[in-house]
Amino acid sequence: MRLFEHQQKGTKRQMKKIWLYLAVLSVALTGGGCGFTDTPNELMRAPAADVNQQSINQAVMQFLPPGSQLTVPLNPTESSAVALHDLTGNGSPEVIAFYKTEKTDYEIGVLVLSQSGGNWKKTASFTGIGRELDYVDYVDMTGDGIPEMLIGWGGGDGLNKELSVYSLKENQPVELLKQPYSVMAVGDLAGNQEQELALVVHDNNNLVSKAEVYGPTDGKLSKWTEIQLDGNVNGYEQAVIGKASPTKNGIFIEAGLGAHSAMTELLILENGQLLRPLAGTREEMELTFKPYSLYSEDINDDGIIEIGIHTQPPGTDEMAMAEIPWISSYYQWDGKSGLKHMEDHFQSTRLGIDFRIPDKWKDKFTVERNPDSNSTVAHMVYYGQNGEQKATLLTFQSIPQQEWAKMEKSSEGKQTPYLVLSEQGKQVLVAIQPQKPDNLSSAALREYNAMLLTSDEIRQLFRPLKMQL
C-alpha cells in the first residue's frame, strides 16, 4: 500500500497509483488510540532493513488525532501518505505523515516525528487549507544539501492550487514560499546539478497565464524569472522538467485548448530568462497543436524528452474525429525554432497497447478498427497505391480470459500464427499474423512481404501503454 515512502524510490515506482489510492482511502483511524482497521504491518512497507517499521507504525498511530484518516498525495505517482526523510541534516530521518480529520473537508494535517533515545516523538504538527493533497516532495531548494518539504494544497477540479515550501528549522516548519499554481514541476532546469521549481499559473477568469521559475540564491529560495503564456486555454494539465536537447534542459507544459484540441509549450532558460523557442505568431498554427492531449515523454529512452503530436493515418478523412485511429508521432526540439521527427506509435487505451511503428512501414500503412465503438480489435494494414492495394499486416485483439481458453483451443491445427503479448487482469492481448493475401498485384505483394514482421520484431516493438493519470 502506498502509505510509506523512503528516499530509495526504486520499489515505489512499481506500485500502482490507482490501486494504492483506493486502498488508502479505506484506512480509517478511529477512537482514542487511533488504530488502523487492518494490521499495521499490512498497511506499511518497510523502507529499509535499518528502520524499525513496527515502531514507526505505532508512532504514527499514537500521534495522529482521533478520527483521522491518512491521505495520499496525488502527485508525484510515487509519493506516499507516510514518508521518511532527513529534514534537518543531522543524519537521522524524520517521519512525515499526512492526514485528514472528520471535522472539515478543507483542512489537511501534517505530522512530523523525530527519534530521540530510540523512541519517536512529535516534533511538529501543522495544517494547510485544501480539499486534497495535490503534490508532496522532498527536495533541496536552497542549495544547502538538506531537503525542503514541497506541499501542494488542492481545492478540487478546475481550481488553482497553492504550493507551500517548508524548511524544518529548530524543529519547527518555516514557510519559505507560498504561491498559487495550476501545474508544477521540479528538476534541473539550469543544468547546474541543482533543483529548480517551475510553477504555471492560469487565471481562467481573466484569460492570463504565466510560468515562474524559482531556485537557490545565496542559500535562499528566490524567484529567478517569469514569462507570460497563452491565457486563451482551457487549462494546463502537466509540466515536466527534463532534457530538451543533448545540451539544454527545458520545461514541457501541456495545455488543453478546447473540447478536442491541445498543445505543448516548451520553455528554455537562457541567460537567466525564459524563452519560447517553438512559439509561433498568432496567425500561425502552433507547431505542437494536436487534436487531443498527448503528453511529452522520453519515448525512445535516449534521455531526451519528445513532444507527442497526433498524425492522421491515410484513408480516414471521412471519419469523425472521435473515430479516427490516430497515430502518436513524437518529435524532439531541433535546438532552434523547429522539431525533428523521431518515432511513430500506435497507442490504444482500449487495447492497452503501445506499438512502435517500424521504419519499413513509413508512409505505407494505415490503421483500421471495427465500427463498433466497443470493439477491441485493431488492424495494421498495408496501404499501397493510395489505398488501391490493401492487405492486413498485423491484427491486435484483446480477448477476455474466459473466451481466450476456448479460442486458443479452437485455433489448434488452423495454422494461424499468433503471439500472446500480455495477460493483464481479465484480458489477454494477442497479435495475430496474417495469411498470405491473394488480392495484391505482384509489385504490391513484394512491397507487402518486405513489410511483414517476425515474432521477435513484434515483441520488440510492443510495450504496455502507460496511462496518463
Side-chain angles (χ1 to χ4, degrees):
M1 177 170 292
R2 185 159 59 89
L3 289 177
F4 205 95
E5 174 192 50
H6 188 248
Q7 289 146 314
Q8 296 175 342
K9 296 185 178 181
T11 56
K12 295 184 302 179
R13 290 192 175 95
Q14 300 171 2
M15 303 178 189
K16 301 294 184 181
K17 180 177 181 182
I18 297 176
W19 175 81
L20 295 169
Y21 184 67
L22 293 176
V24 76
L25 290 180
S26 68
V27 181
L29 299 167
T30 57
C34 299
F36 287 103
T37 56
D38 293 315
T39 306
N41 287 339
E42 296 174 354
L43 296 172
M44 290 182 167
R45 299 180 183 270
D50 60 346
V51 176
N52 189 325
Q53 176 182 340
Q54 184 176 0
S55 70
I56 294 175
N57 293 344
Q58 292 172 346
V60 169
M61 289 189 294
Q62 175 186 353
F63 291 108
L64 279 171
S68 297
Q69 176 180 337
L70 290 172
T71 186
V72 180
L74 301 177
N75 300 289
T77 55
E78 67 269 18
S79 54
S80 303
V82 179
L84 191 69
H85 288 272
D86 181 4
L87 301 178
T88 60
N90 64 358
S92 180
E94 281 74 34
V95 168
I96 309 100
F98 298 91
Y99 64 91
K100 295 186 73 172
T101 68
E102 299 172 345
K103 296 179 181 179
T104 174
D105 287 336
Y106 289 93
E107 188 175 80
I108 297 173
V110 184
L111 176 66
V112 181
L113 309 178
S114 60
Q115 206 165 25
S116 176
N119 298 315
W120 291 100
K121 65 177 183 179
K122 183 165 74 171
T123 299
S125 180
F126 59 98
T127 61
I129 304 300
R131 186 162 192 158
E132 60 192 16
L133 202 54
D134 178 70
Y135 186 95
V136 169
D137 207 352
Y138 307 86
V139 182
D140 176 16
M141 299 303 307
T142 61
D144 63 358
I146 302 172
E148 276 69 44
M149 288 186 287
L150 281 66
I151 305 176
W153 317 98
D157 290 342
L159 299 176
N160 273 335
K161 302 106 176 176
E162 190 168 61
L163 175 71
S164 293
V165 179
Y166 296 96
S167 182
L168 199 63
K169 301 294 185 183
E170 298 180 355
N171 292 331
Q172 291 300 317
V174 177
E175 193 171 50
L176 306 182
L177 179 72
K178 191 171 192 175
Q179 288 292 329
Y181 71 97
S182 302
V183 293
M184 60 172 288
V186 176
D188 182 7
L189 177 62
N192 56 5
Q193 305 303 312
E194 294 184 334
Q195 299 294 293
E196 285 81 45
L197 167 67
L199 300 179
V200 178
V201 186
H202 175 54
D203 184 341
N204 195 43
N205 293 324
N206 297 311
L207 297 179
V208 293
S209 300
K210 64 179 178 178
E212 304 171 328
V213 172
Y214 296 81
T217 304
D218 299 327
K220 297 181 180 180
L221 177 60
S222 64
K223 184 175 179 178
W224 284 6
T225 185
E226 69 175 59
I227 190 173
Q228 297 300 308
L229 300 179
D230 188 356
N232 294 298
V233 299
N234 277 9
Y236 289 94
E237 302 171 1
Q238 178 178 280
V240 175
I241 294 176
K243 291 194 77 65
S245 75
T247 59
K248 276 287 185 182
N249 295 351
I251 311 171
F252 297 80
I253 305 169
E254 312 297 339
L257 302 182
H260 295 294
S261 58
M263 64 168 286
T264 300
E265 182 83 70
L266 173 62
L267 302 181
I268 302 296
L269 189 66
E270 192 78 51
N271 298 322
Q273 301 296 316
L274 288 171
L275 304 178
R276 302 170 63 200
L278 301 179
T281 66
R282 288 193 173 274
E283 292 74 27
E284 296 174 337
M285 178 70 73
E286 294 285 351
L287 277 178
T288 62
F289 180 86
K290 61 199 84 176
Y292 298 99
S293 293
L294 182 59
Y295 293 170
S296 304
E297 62 173 300
D298 180 8
I299 195 72
N300 58 359
D301 298 321
D302 66 349
I304 300 173
I305 294 180
E306 284 79 34
I307 294 174
I309 303 173
H310 296 101
T311 301
Q312 185 171 352
T316 60
D317 291 341
E318 302 303 318
M319 290 185 178
M321 182 174 288
E323 297 174 353
I324 296 172
W326 297 96
I327 298 299
S328 300
S329 297
Y330 288 89
Y331 299 81
Q332 282 183 6
W333 176 48
D334 66 3
K336 299 177 182 177
S337 59
L339 297 170
K340 56 183 178 180
H341 177 261
M342 301 303 292
E343 291 183 356
D344 291 325
H345 289 239
F346 172 64
Q347 299 172 330
S348 169
T349 54
R350 195 175 299 157
L351 292 168
I353 187 175
D354 184 341
F355 181 75
R356 180 167 63 84
I357 305 301
D359 293 339
K360 61 185 178 182
W361 284 15
K362 184 175 174 56
D363 300 326
K364 294 181 290 188
F365 84 100
T366 191
V367 182
E368 293 182 354
R369 291 192 304 213
N370 294 355
D372 181 3
S373 61
N374 296 318
S375 174
T376 53
V377 180
H379 305 282
M380 315 303 289
V381 177
Y382 166 67
Y383 197 85
Q385 298 180 16
N386 293 321
E388 293 181 11
Q389 300 280 321
K390 294 172 64 176
T392 299
L393 290 162
L394 192 61
T395 296
F396 296 108
Q397 185 170 2
S398 182
I399 305 165
Q401 280 275 9
Q402 56 188 19
E403 294 181 19
W404 170 241
K406 300 176 185 176
M407 293 180 64
E408 189 176 25
K409 187 173 183 179
S410 66
S411 64
E412 294 177 359
K414 292 185 179 180
Q415 298 182 340
T416 301
Y418 65 87
L419 292 82
V420 176
L421 297 177
S422 69
E423 297 186 53
Q424 297 184 351
K426 298 180 180 180
Q427 296 292 122
V428 178
L429 178 64
V430 297
I432 304 170
Q433 294 168 284
Q435 301 291 329
K436 183 177 180 180
D438 56 8
N439 62 325
L440 299 179
S441 66
S442 57
L445 183 60
R446 286 193 298 272
E447 188 172 59
Y448 169 85
N449 286 335
M451 295 171 64
L452 291 175
L453 302 175
T454 66
S455 297
D456 286 342
E457 286 176 318
I458 295 170
R459 292 192 186 280
Q460 290 170 5
L461 296 167
F462 163 81
R463 68 181 181 183
L465 180 67
K466 296 177 184 177
M467 303 301 291
Q468 297 182 356
L469 297 175

